[in-house]
Amino acid sequence: MEYNTHELSRLAGISARTLRYYDEIGLLRPCRTAESGYRFYGEKEVELLQQILFYRERGLELGTIQEIICQPDFDILEALDGHLSALIQQKERLDTLIQTVKLTIATMKGESKMDDTMKFEAFKNDLVDKNEQTYGKEIREKYGDEEVNSYNQKILGLSEKEYEQFRDLETAIRKRLEEAVRSGIKPESEAGRETAFLHRDWLSYTWKKYSPRMHKSLTDMYVLDERFKDYYDREVKGCADFLMRAVKYWIED
């Protein structure tokens, strides 16, 4: 069965404009285009659109999705298994957060008791699970299972105070990066030095042993991998590049 643009947009719950944009960027081509200019999509295109929407729901950018589904060996069944696994993990994270909120409410009402460790346990588990889901494959290939497992254990082992400091430092780094880029400050400046060392301190909360070489390698990934880049460039474009250059200039081996 074939669908024209408007029929498929209604079926998928997205706009016809989105489908046309996917065609323009080469993400989802119609199976044929009539002389009138109408686009038509067949069974294969419908299946690919479903995959695109699954990946979008998981937070991947269009460029990353295109790299995945355009690979010659892309396997839809394997991709569906991956989606199922990711969604189950997401459900487990949400269930844990829901239970934490319920227990907190009960504690505030005097119906239960919750120690400070339990208040932050769900957030630490959520952070580890999200990192694994989004970056796990790449960072395990790059740094090895032992290094990544150590990172996860350090996150989970952070005290309440350490966890708050870790997240506050993360926020401070992003704020400094955005201010520097907006102001046109160079990475070789004093602001660049301070940001590079703050980033080093932030990594030290989770790394078993800090390494300048690994620090520089990681910031390379911030620029080369769209998911990392999007995290730092979410509000102001150029933050990931600023951080990478500041670290390379100021962090000595």
Side-chain angles (χ1 to χ4, degrees), residues 90-252:
Q90 182 178 350
K91 179 180 180 298
E92 291 173 348
R93 290 200 307 271
L94 289 174
D95 287 343
T96 301
L97 289 170
I98 289 169
Q99 287 302 116
T100 301
V101 172
K102 286 181 176 179
L103 185 54
T104 303
I105 293 172
T107 300
M108 294 182 72
K109 288 181 176 180
E111 300 169 355
S112 182
K113 189 173 182 179
M114 183 183 197
D115 63 34
D116 290 338
T117 300
M118 294 173 65
K119 291 178 183 177
F120 292 91
E121 202 64 33
F123 295 104
K124 291 189 289 185
N125 277 293
D126 187 53
L127 177 60
V128 168
D129 288 342
K130 283 182 177 178
N131 285 339
E132 279 285 356
Q133 180 182 335
T134 308
Y135 312 115
K137 181 180 178 181
E138 288 77 7
I139 60 178
R140 285 184 180 278
E141 289 177 352
K142 190 174 184 65
Y143 300 111
D145 290 338
E146 183 178 352
E147 194 69 37
V148 177
N149 291 339
S150 174
Y151 164 87
N152 291 340
Q153 287 304 312
K154 286 203 70 175
I155 286 287
L156 295 174
L158 293 176
S159 67
E160 175 189 349
K161 182 178 180 180
E162 288 171 334
Y163 178 74
E164 288 181 341
Q165 291 173 338
F166 172 71
R167 297 316 296 259
D168 288 345
L169 190 53
E170 180 180 12
T171 301
I173 291 168
R174 287 192 56 174
K175 184 178 179 180
R176 282 175 175 267
L177 286 170
E178 291 167 6
E179 289 175 351
V181 173
R182 284 195 182 104
S183 302
I185 296 173
K186 293 184 178 181
E188 298 80 14
S189 66
E190 178 63 18
R193 185 188 70 80
E194 291 176 356
T195 304
F197 285 122
L198 281 178
H199 193 256
R200 179 198 61 187
D201 295 342
W202 180 70
L203 292 174
S204 297
Y205 275 93
T206 58
W207 283 10
K208 185 176 181 180
K209 182 180 179 181
Y210 174 79
S211 162
R213 179 185 60 81
M214 287 181 62
H215 190 178
K216 294 177 181 180
S217 176
L218 182 65
T219 56
D220 281 337
M221 189 183 293
Y222 289 172
V223 175
L224 297 174
D225 190 303
E226 288 298 322
R227 289 164 297 178
F228 284 103
K229 189 174 182 180
D230 288 340
Y231 169 78
Y232 283 101
D233 288 4
R234 185 167 56 202
E235 299 295 333
V236 181
K237 300 295 183 184
C239 289
D241 183 70
F242 182 97
L243 179 57
M244 180 271 292
R245 292 198 290 154
V247 167
K248 285 188 179 298
Y249 185 84
W250 290 107
I251 299 297
E252 298 181 359

